[in-house]
């Protein structure tokens, strides 16, 4: 594939990442749970409001930890959207639990909280809201459903590192929250993630699960005199050399969030005339939510128009992409009793959605250029 003039994503160094990596190397302590890990976790705890934050090798790993900590197994059901990345489902499927996919709301592409309440039954154990594009799911309603049926809530906040809901940071509202620091996300360490543990009674086991099922952490703290195999677990901790890179990014989190918000607003304000004409739909951010601004997506009239617009932009060197193939109609999803037609909003909108170029150092003028070519595609006069 030839390189695009305006790529969809371009990870960038934004601060002192290199200097911090050099410090980590010089310290002689580059494996998990070192000094930079502590600094990053402290930001997620003190500034974001997590009870305990644990850096992980990925958001996928954080979701797997949440599934282990939820103690789900065969016979248990976990409610989640089908419009999400595979890791949301796989983490629970790996424990033998069954994903129950519910439809999304057309305005936010977030799981419809009313359908979640209807999907609960005696086998349900966990609800997994995915805050699509960084915009919160209706957490009050979801938390009320969870409380009424004694369910756990795991927020997949991979898109939502700087988003909030009624003043509370996304990822800190449910029992667990997960972040992604993959190169395609707002704040990155190449690969990386975090598990936020928002309940004090779950913290000790979370550290054991991260440490391969050992009580290494309690041993380090002098709480036990032998370091032993005490539970299941895996090697989930992020290397400190990567945490050093991540710290350089997290230090700039406000600048990153401000630029992404400006880029988003630029796209939305310039695309509004096309929405008014009925050529496309723009995303909705409810007034009580502050978006994490993970992306700008538009929704076209049909799949053919979407695919033709992708080609039109590609011919100008502009890379626009789409996702997700709904999980319930994926080859692996069929075994969970899923059929096409089950989730009409997901099935309709997933194939009409388009994500425009969006990254931390993208100039606002590049958004203007993308917009110009979208106007050109529709034969619409630029205002
Ligand atoms: C990116 C993403 C993940 C996986 O993140 P990794 O850090 O790559 O494992 C999970 N869920 C959602 C919604 C994502 O967008």
């Amino acid at each position: 594939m030839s390189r695009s003039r305006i790529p969809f994503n371009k990870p960038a160094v934004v601060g002192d990442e290199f200097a911090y990596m050099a410090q980590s190397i010089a310290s002689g302590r580059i494996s998990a749970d070192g000094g930079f890990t502590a600094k990053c976790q402290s930001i997620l705890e003190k500034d974001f409001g997590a009870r305990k934050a644990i850096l992980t090798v990925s958001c996928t790993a954080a979701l797997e930890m949440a599934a282990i900590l939820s103690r789900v197994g065969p016979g248990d059901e976990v409610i989640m959207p089908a419009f999400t990345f595979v890791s949301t489902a796989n983490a629970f499927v790996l424990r033998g639990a069954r994903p129950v996919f519910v439809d999304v709301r057309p305005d936010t592409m977030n799981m419809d909280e009313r359908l979640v309440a209807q999907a609960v039954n005696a086998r349900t154990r966990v609800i997994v809201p995915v805050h699509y594009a960084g915009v919160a799911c209706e957490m009050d309603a979801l938390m009320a459903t969870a409380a009424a049926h004694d369910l756990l809530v795991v927020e997949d906040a991979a898109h939502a590192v700087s988003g909030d809901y009624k003043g509370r940071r996304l990822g800190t509202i449910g029992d667990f929250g997960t972040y992604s620091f993959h190169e395609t996300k707002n704040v990155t360490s190449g690969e990386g993630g975090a598990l936020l543990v928002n309940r004090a009674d779950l913290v000790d086991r979370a550290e054991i699960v991260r440490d391969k099922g050992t009580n290494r952490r309690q041993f380090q703290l002098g709480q036990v005199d032998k370091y032993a195999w005490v539970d299941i677990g895996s090697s989930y901790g992020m290397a400190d050399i990567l945490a050093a890179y991540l710290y350089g990014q997290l230090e700039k989190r406000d600048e990153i969030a401000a630029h992404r918000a400006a880029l988003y607003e630029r796209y939305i304000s310039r695309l509004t005339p096309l929405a008014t004409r009925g050529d496309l739909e723009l995303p909705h951010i409810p007034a009580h939510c502050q978006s994490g601004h993970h992306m700008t997506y538009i929704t076209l009239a049909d799949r053919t128009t979407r695919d033709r617009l992708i080609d039109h932009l590609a011919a100008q060197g502009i890379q626009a992409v789409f996702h997700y193939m709904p999980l319930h109609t994926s080859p692996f999803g069929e075994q969970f009793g899923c059929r096409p037609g089950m989730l009409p909003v997901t099935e309709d909108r997933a194939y009409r959605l388009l994500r425009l170029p969006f990254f931390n150092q993208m100039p606002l003028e590049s958004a203007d250029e993308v917009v110009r070519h979208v106007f050109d595609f529709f034969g619409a006069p630029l205002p």
Side-chain angles (χ1 to χ4, degrees):
M1 208 170 91
S2 68
R3 269 178 85 164
S4 301
R5 214 163 33 78
I6 305 182
F8 173 69
N9 180 54
K10 189 154 80 177
V13 172
V14 295
D16 293 329
E17 290 93 324
F18 293 148
Y20 292 149
M21 287 181 95
Q23 267 182 46
S24 170
I25 292 164
S27 79
R29 181 70 177 73
I30 58 174
S31 63
D33 216 16
F36 282 101
T37 302
K39 283 175 187 285
C40 293
Q41 291 178 173
S42 165
I43 290 175
L44 302 182
E45 290 160 10
K46 300 207 169 73
D47 192 50
F48 287 44
R51 165 75 66 152
K52 170 73 194 160
I54 295 179
L55 293 193
T56 57
V57 293
S58 63
C59 182
T60 301
L63 286 162
E64 288 180 21
M65 287 181 70
I68 291 173
L69 293 163
S70 300
R71 299 187 187 274
V72 292
D76 293 333
E77 294 186 356
V78 179
I79 297 175
M80 64 183 70
F83 187 67
T84 183
F85 190 60
V86 293
S87 297
T88 317
N90 252 338
F92 294 92
V93 171
L94 278 164
R95 310 301 322 143
R98 196 173 94 89
V100 172
F101 299 115
V102 304
D103 214 350
V104 292
R105 299 162 49 126
D107 57 349
T108 56
M109 297 301 283
N110 279 331
M111 191 157 69
D112 187 325
E113 62 281 2
R114 291 157 303 178
L115 298 178
V116 171
Q118 289 168 23
V120 173
N121 64 40
R123 292 179 298 279
T124 309
R125 300 287 305 282
V126 184
I127 299 174
V128 191
V130 177
H131 305 300
Y132 185 69
V135 175
C137 296
E138 280 307 325
M139 290 306 291
D140 283 350
L142 293 174
M143 295 303 287
T145 299
H149 301 278
D150 200 17
L151 311 175
L152 291 170
V153 174
V154 177
E155 298 177 72
D156 182 339
H159 298 179
V161 170
S162 58
D164 71 25
Y165 174 79
K166 300 186 177 174
R168 292 177 72 188
R169 190 62 66 114
L170 298 179
T172 69
I173 302 169
D175 300 281
F176 301 102
T178 65
Y179 288 150
S180 174
F181 305 123
H182 185 261
E183 74 166 29
T184 52
K185 301 302 200 303
N186 298 22
V187 171
T188 182
S189 52
E191 301 274 358
L195 176 69
L196 310 188
V197 183
N198 299 316
R199 265 176 45 189
D201 59 319
L202 295 168
V203 170
D204 287 348
R205 187 165 186 241
E207 290 185 319
I208 287 167
V209 169
R210 175 200 52 200
D211 290 336
K212 298 101 173 166
T214 72
N215 58 355
R216 185 190 63 93
R217 181 79 185 156
Q218 286 162 293
F219 173 71
Q220 279 176 336
L221 295 173
Q223 293 167 353
V224 292
D225 58 8
K226 280 200 271 315
Y227 156 18
W229 181 19
V230 296
D231 206 327
I232 60 167
S234 192
S235 185
Y236 287 126
M238 179 189 282
D240 211 59
I241 195 168
L242 278 183
Y245 190 97
L246 180 64
Y247 186 64
Q249 295 252 319
L250 280 174
E251 274 192 326
K252 301 286 180 191
R253 61 194 178 283
D254 292 340
E255 286 98 317
I256 290 174
H259 180 68
R260 295 181 82 98
L263 192 55
Y264 179 85
E265 293 307 332
R266 185 74 154 233
Y267 266 130
I268 298 302
S269 65
R270 307 260 160 142
L271 287 167
T272 294
L274 293 180
T276 308
R277 277 166 47 110
D279 290 322
L280 51 79
E281 279 176 65
L282 295 173
H284 171 68
I285 302 176
H288 55 276
C289 299
Q290 183 183 299
S291 177
H293 296 300
H294 177 53
M295 68 175 97
T296 300
Y297 66 92
I298 57 177
T299 308
L300 288 312
D302 52 45
R303 185 177 188 160
T304 312
T305 309
R306 194 269 310 266
D307 294 346
R308 282 180 42 234
L309 179 54
I310 291 175
D311 293 344
H312 178 83
L313 294 173
Q316 307 299 327
I318 296 168
Q319 188 187 20
V321 304
F322 63 88
H323 71 174
Y324 295 104
M325 182 176 177
L327 297 182
H328 71 297
T329 55
S330 301
F332 199 71
E334 288 172 7
Q335 68 185 289
F336 303 110
C338 304
R339 298 167 313 283
M342 236 173 60
L343 307 179
V345 180
T346 300
E347 290 167 38
D348 171 35
R349 292 192 169 250
Y351 297 104
R352 300 198 277 126
L353 183 144
L354 187 63
R355 307 168 67 194
L356 301 175
F358 202 88
F359 51 90
N360 287 343
Q361 290 181 347
M362 179 168 162
L364 299 182
E365 294 70 30
S366 295
D368 296 344
E369 188 182 340
V370 174
V371 168
R372 267 202 309 281
H373 291 294
V374 177
F375 270 77
D376 179 51
F377 175 77
F378 285 109
L382 273 173

